[in-house]
Amino acid sequence: MALIEKAPAKINLSLDVLRKREDGFHDVEMIMTTIDLSDRIELHSLDEDKIEISMESRYVPNDERNLAYKAAHAFKKKYAIKTGVHIGIEKNIPVSAGLGGGSTDAAAVLRGLNRLWNLNIPLDELAVLGATIGADVSFCVYGNTAIARGYGEQIEVLASPPPCWVVLAKPNIGVSTWTIFNRVKINELYHPNTKRVMEALYEKDFHKLCQYMGNSLEPITSSLHPEVSQIKQAMMNIGAPGVLMSGSGPTVYGLVEHENKARRIYNGMRGFCEEVYLVRLIG
Ligand code: ATP
């Protein structure tokens, strides 16, 4: 038995860091939406009780450190499954880029195993299990558009953004989420207006969305990696109406309403940056 599960990347339309908690995590408020840039997860049942991963990536380990492995392990343990699984991952989402690549692979494994072994576990339950693997896994279990609170595990589904194109530009560096959160100084943080971003989604107001999208972590990542602000400036100069860093970075994205303009910005950005993508929002 084998099946394919799509694992789409996410972008942050907003990311606010509210406070540092006693347990060391930060309370956040993040509006995320999925984009049409996906890994492809292939699952095969194995008679032997083991988890195998195959994936060609210089940056991601193929063993129990892989978030897809952790997801399969947590799933098998929770539901006492003695069957094994082979997980093939075609990696298309850039790694350590702020696009939730590892989290979406883990979420796709949870959804996929649920189908592979016909368990009919509700998504809400998979999302709770996902939170034990990583902060963004709960969101990725649902996909589409949602606000995540707590350390990222409390999900409330939101209206999807107005249809538009996304130009992504990733500088040639990887950023560790832990390093960026470690540099957060709560009293000095910039806070986006999350309420206005939510209004923009419900009103399907593209320009309001572009005006209010914001990310508390962007100044921190930019101070460590000036490439981030350079790419942001370049994308704004070329004419993208809304430009923001996603997650803890370093990927910068621009929202563009019309395809022709999006293609122009995509072509323009290829002069600045090696890794540029043009995709649609699917959230
Ligand atoms: P986020 O936006 O959720 O903070 P990210 O996009 O910045 O995540 P990832 O691509 O998820 O970062 O990678 C973060 C770390 O997770 C890397 O060190 C990577 O080696 C590890 N990792 C483990 N499994 C995976 C996987 N299946 N895909 C990508 N990264 C993985």
Side-chain angles (χ1 to χ4, degrees), residues 10 59-61 65-67 91 94-103 105 136 177:
K10 58 83 184 166
Y59 307 106
V60 187
R65 290 168 294 171
N66 196 301
L67 292 177
K91 193 86 196 142
V95 177
S96 297
L99 300 173
S103 305
D105 291 354
D136 289 340
T177 306

Side-chain angles (χ1 to χ4, degrees), residues 6 49 51 62-63 73 77 85 91 94 104 110 114 139 145 153 155 170 179 201 204 209 221 227 237 248 258 266 279:
K6 204 169 156 179
D49 186 2
I51 300 167
N62 254 345
D63 52 26
H73 182 74
K77 190 164 171 216
V85 63
K91 193 86 196 142
T104 194
L110 297 179
N114 195 22
F139 165 76
T145 305
E153 85 289 8
I155 307 296
K170 183 192 163 287
T179 307
L201 297 179
K204 295 263 182 281
L209 178 61
T221 309
E227 299 92 319
N237 291 347
S248 52
H258 302 293
Y266 166 78
V279 298

Side-chain angles (χ1 to χ4, degrees), residues 137-153:
V137 180
S138 301
F139 165 76
C140 293
V141 164
Y142 299 103
N144 295 316
T145 305
I147 182 163
R149 299 191 175 91
Y151 67 88
E153 85 289 8

